[in-house]
Amino acid sequence: MVDQFAAKAIDWDNNPVRKEMVKKFVNIIRKHAQIKPNSHILDFGCGTGLVGLHFAEEAGRIKMLDTSPAMLDVLQTKVKEHDPHNIQIIQKDIAQLDEQNNLIVSLMTFHHISNHAEILREFYNKLHDNGLVIIGDLMPEDGSFHYPENVPHNGIHPNVLSKICKKAGFHVDWCYKFHTVNKKTNLGTQKSFDLFVLVARKPESLL
């Protein structure tokens, strides 16, 4: 598998637009989720750890999952520098994980995934009862966000993702626009792209 982020990983953390997006997403996580010393968090599509590492001093364990070796190499360097004892870096498919979590977070990863229903079923299986999923991603756009690269989805309609979450068994608590990214595209134009956040909960088992 080709690592599409190999050339981007080294400078990934230096983008001020990305930093502002991450800051807002982290604040939303803190608003909707209670991070406790015994909390187990999964950062799905973690990249260089810009989201998950914010909770290293609060949570019991954080699993950082990504498929990009280059991104995880950058993350590994950061983890060694700060020596958080509760960080686990994982380069594998989520279906291969056994442990359950209290919280799964994912920022700007879902539009890179072809089958949302399959991943959300895995999220459901990897959560404790009353566990939360918090997803931040790109609303539908004309393809210029990634141009000339091709991705499985040019954004995602939040209502569509909400329906898929419900089919997977989740209760969708919140779904709203949380940020606008202003960037110069490879077409040479300055454009605005809206992002949404979805907060879903795995209900308690009736058994």
PDB file of all heavy atoms in Angstrom, residues 40-52:
ATOM      1  N   HIS A  40     -10.362   5.089  28.482  1.00  0.00           N
ATOM      2  CA  HIS A  40      -9.617   4.520  27.363  1.00  0.00           C
ATOM      3  C   HIS A  40     -10.106   5.202  26.091  1.00  0.00           C
ATOM      4  O   HIS A  40     -11.295   5.160  25.772  1.00  0.00           O
ATOM      5  CB  HIS A  40      -9.836   3.012  27.275  1.00  0.00           C
ATOM      6  CG  HIS A  40      -9.151   2.261  28.363  1.00  0.00           C
ATOM      7  ND1 HIS A  40      -9.163   0.887  28.425  1.00  0.00           N
ATOM      8  CD2 HIS A  40      -8.427   2.677  29.433  1.00  0.00           C
ATOM      9  CE1 HIS A  40      -8.475   0.480  29.494  1.00  0.00           C
ATOM     10  NE2 HIS A  40      -8.032   1.559  30.116  1.00  0.00           N
ATOM     11  N   ILE A  41      -9.173   5.820  25.364  1.00  0.00           N
ATOM     12  CA  ILE A  41      -9.507   6.604  24.172  1.00  0.00           C
ATOM     13  C   ILE A  41      -8.835   5.979  22.954  1.00  0.00           C
ATOM     14  O   ILE A  41      -7.677   5.572  23.015  1.00  0.00           O
ATOM     15  CB  ILE A  41      -9.032   8.068  24.330  1.00  0.00           C
ATOM     16  CG1 ILE A  41      -9.697   8.724  25.548  1.00  0.00           C
ATOM     17  CG2 ILE A  41      -9.330   8.872  23.067  1.00  0.00           C
ATOM     18  CD1 ILE A  41      -9.177  10.115  25.850  1.00  0.00           C
ATOM     19  N   LEU A  42      -9.572   5.935  21.852  1.00  0.00           N
ATOM     20  CA  LEU A  42      -9.015   5.528  20.572  1.00  0.00           C
ATOM     21  C   LEU A  42      -9.064   6.722  19.630  1.00  0.00           C
ATOM     22  O   LEU A  42     -10.142   7.275  19.380  1.00  0.00           O
ATOM     23  CB  LEU A  42      -9.803   4.358  19.976  1.00  0.00           C
ATOM     24  CG  LEU A  42      -9.460   3.960  18.533  1.00  0.00           C
ATOM     25  CD1 LEU A  42      -8.018   3.485  18.424  1.00  0.00           C
ATOM     26  CD2 LEU A  42     -10.424   2.878  18.024  1.00  0.00           C
ATOM     27  N   ASP A  43      -7.908   7.135  19.129  1.00  0.00           N
ATOM     28  CA  ASP A  43      -7.822   8.201  18.130  1.00  0.00           C
ATOM     29  C   ASP A  43      -7.668   7.524  16.773  1.00  0.00           C
ATOM     30  O   ASP A  43      -6.603   7.021  16.422  1.00  0.00           O
ATOM     31  CB  ASP A  43      -6.630   9.110  18.435  1.00  0.00           C
ATOM     32  CG  ASP A  43      -6.565  10.330  17.515  1.00  0.00           C
ATOM     33  OD1 ASP A  43      -7.311  10.361  16.521  1.00  0.00           O
ATOM     34  OD2 ASP A  43      -5.755  11.238  17.790  1.00  0.00           O
ATOM     35  N   PHE A  44      -8.763   7.504  16.018  1.00  0.00           N
ATOM     36  CA  PHE A  44      -8.823   6.778  14.746  1.00  0.00           C
ATOM     37  C   PHE A  44      -8.380   7.692  13.609  1.00  0.00           C
ATOM     38  O   PHE A  44      -8.976   8.742  13.379  1.00  0.00           O
ATOM     39  CB  PHE A  44     -10.251   6.285  14.515  1.00  0.00           C
ATOM     40  CG  PHE A  44     -10.447   5.546  13.220  1.00  0.00           C
ATOM     41  CD1 PHE A  44     -10.072   4.216  13.109  1.00  0.00           C
ATOM     42  CD2 PHE A  44     -11.011   6.180  12.118  1.00  0.00           C
ATOM     43  CE1 PHE A  44     -10.265   3.525  11.920  1.00  0.00           C
ATOM     44  CE2 PHE A  44     -11.204   5.503  10.935  1.00  0.00           C
ATOM     45  CZ  PHE A  44     -10.821   4.173  10.829  1.00  0.00           C
ATOM     46  N   GLY A  45      -7.337   7.273  12.880  1.00  0.00           N
ATOM     47  CA  GLY A  45      -6.751   8.151  11.868  1.00  0.00           C
ATOM     48  C   GLY A  45      -5.976   9.265  12.536  1.00  0.00           C
ATOM     49  O   GLY A  45      -6.079  10.432  12.175  1.00  0.00           O
ATOM     50  N   CYS A  46      -5.159   8.884  13.513  1.00  0.00           N
ATOM     51  CA  CYS A  46      -4.528   9.848  14.423  1.00  0.00           C
ATOM     52  C   CYS A  46      -3.486  10.731  13.758  1.00  0.00           C
ATOM     53  O   CYS A  46      -3.157  11.809  14.262  1.00  0.00           O
ATOM     54  CB  CYS A  46      -3.882   9.111  15.592  1.00  0.00           C
ATOM     55  SG  CYS A  46      -2.497   8.047  15.104  1.00  0.00           S
ATOM     56  N   GLY A  47      -2.921  10.298  12.628  1.00  0.00           N
ATOM     57  CA  GLY A  47      -1.863  11.081  11.999  1.00  0.00           C
ATOM     58  C   GLY A  47      -0.666  11.236  12.914  1.00  0.00           C
ATOM     59  O   GLY A  47      -0.144  10.268  13.461  1.00  0.00           O
ATOM     60  N   THR A  48      -0.258  12.477  13.130  1.00  0.00           N
ATOM     61  CA  THR A  48       0.896  12.760  14.002  1.00  0.00           C
ATOM     62  C   THR A  48       0.486  12.966  15.456  1.00  0.00           C
ATOM     63  O   THR A  48       1.311  13.384  16.261  1.00  0.00           O
ATOM     64  CB  THR A  48       1.656  13.997  13.499  1.00  0.00           C
ATOM     65  OG1 THR A  48       0.776  15.144  13.557  1.00  0.00           O
ATOM     66  CG2 THR A  48       2.139  13.808  12.072  1.00  0.00           C
ATOM     67  N   GLY A  49      -0.774  12.683  15.761  1.00  0.00           N
ATOM     68  CA  GLY A  49      -1.210  12.758  17.157  1.00  0.00           C
ATOM     69  C   GLY A  49      -1.681  14.114  17.610  1.00  0.00           C
ATOM     70  O   GLY A  49      -1.781  14.360  18.818  1.00  0.00           O
ATOM     71  N   LEU A  50      -2.018  14.997  16.690  1.00  0.00           N
ATOM     72  CA  LEU A  50      -2.391  16.361  17.056  1.00  0.00           C
ATOM     73  C   LEU A  50      -3.625  16.418  17.953  1.00  0.00           C
ATOM     74  O   LEU A  50      -3.742  17.319  18.776  1.00  0.00           O
ATOM     75  CB  LEU A  50      -2.645  17.193  15.788  1.00  0.00           C
ATOM     76  CG  LEU A  50      -1.407  17.651  15.022  1.00  0.00           C
ATOM     77  CD1 LEU A  50      -1.807  18.331  13.712  1.00  0.00           C
ATOM     78  CD2 LEU A  50      -0.573  18.600  15.868  1.00  0.00           C
ATOM     79  N   VAL A  51      -4.532  15.462  17.807  1.00  0.00           N
ATOM     80  CA  VAL A  51      -5.730  15.444  18.652  1.00  0.00           C
ATOM     81  C   VAL A  51      -5.489  14.634  19.918  1.00  0.00           C
ATOM     82  O   VAL A  51      -5.585  15.138  21.043  1.00  0.00           O
ATOM     83  CB  VAL A  51      -6.939  14.885  17.879  1.00  0.00           C
ATOM     84  CG1 VAL A  51      -8.147  14.709  18.816  1.00  0.00           C
ATOM     85  CG2 VAL A  51      -7.305  15.807  16.722  1.00  0.00           C
ATOM     86  N   GLY A  52      -5.149  13.369  19.766  1.00  0.00           N
ATOM     87  CA  GLY A  52      -5.094  12.450  20.899  1.00  0.00           C
ATOM     88  C   GLY A  52      -4.091  12.829  21.967  1.00  0.00           C
ATOM     89  O   GLY A  52      -4.333  12.625  23.171  1.00  0.00           O
TER      90      GLY A  52
END
